[in-house]
Amino acid sequence: MDLQNLAYAITQVAHNFGAVAVVGGALLARWPIRLEPAIQHKLGWLVLGGWTVQGASGMTFSAISYAYYGQFPDLHGIAIAALLLKVLCAAAGFVLAAIYLRYSFRWSNTRCDHVWSGLFALAATALTAAAFLRWFS
């Protein structure tokens, strides 16, 4: 068994489930109907966890490459831009989800809706950038 491919595959599984959490959690919290604040709060934890998994698994991809090749992946051009965009989305998503969890009980429904829309936009952008990273690297 090729341990490098196994490590990449396991990391990809975690990365995929993180993507499902950030996209699906934000989408469910906002559409098609408004959920109760307690349920939205639980989804906030799911989204925060998803962004954490996205960041950790993304770093793990680089660590695996470094462990097996002695260097980080050779990326350039569009792939670098896509990776940077993914990292920025993950950082912003993590911060926005954490702020939501801390302060949403004080916010209006409209503000909560805007935050969920923002979290969904960050997730969709990161998912789109992932496709460009994959095919241009």
Side-chain angles (χ1 to χ4, degrees), residues 97-119:
I99 289 170
Y100 171 83
L101 288 168
R102 175 70 173 95
Y103 297 107
S104 64
F105 69 93
R106 298 179 186 169
W107 292 348
S108 68
N109 287 341
T110 301
R111 179 177 278 184
C112 289
D113 288 348
H114 288 309
V115 169
W116 283 116
S117 295
L119 285 166

Side-chain angles (χ1 to χ4, degrees), residues 73-85:
D74 183 26
L75 303 176
H76 45 285
I78 292 173
I80 288 286
L83 178 60
L84 179 60
L85 185 57

Side-chain angles (χ1 to χ4, degrees), residues 35-124:
L35 297 174
E36 295 294 322
I39 295 172
Q40 286 186 346
H41 193 78
K42 288 178 183 178
L43 287 170
W45 282 107
L46 176 70
V47 170
L48 182 68
W51 283 119
T52 302
V53 168
Q54 288 289 278
S57 58
M59 289 186 286
T60 302
F61 283 127
S62 291
I64 293 167
S65 292
Y66 192 82
Y68 281 91
Y69 299 111
Q71 63 185 24
F72 294 111
D74 183 26
L75 303 176
H76 45 285
I78 292 173
I80 288 286
L83 178 60
L84 179 60
L85 185 57
K86 281 182 54 109
V87 168
L88 291 173
C89 285
F94 180 88
V95 168
L96 189 55
I99 289 170
Y100 171 83
L101 288 168
R102 175 70 173 95
Y103 297 107
S104 64
F105 69 93
R106 298 179 186 169
W107 292 348
S108 68
N109 287 341
T110 301
R111 179 177 278 184
C112 289
D113 288 348
H114 288 309
V115 169
W116 283 116
S117 295
L119 285 166
F120 177 73
L122 289 168

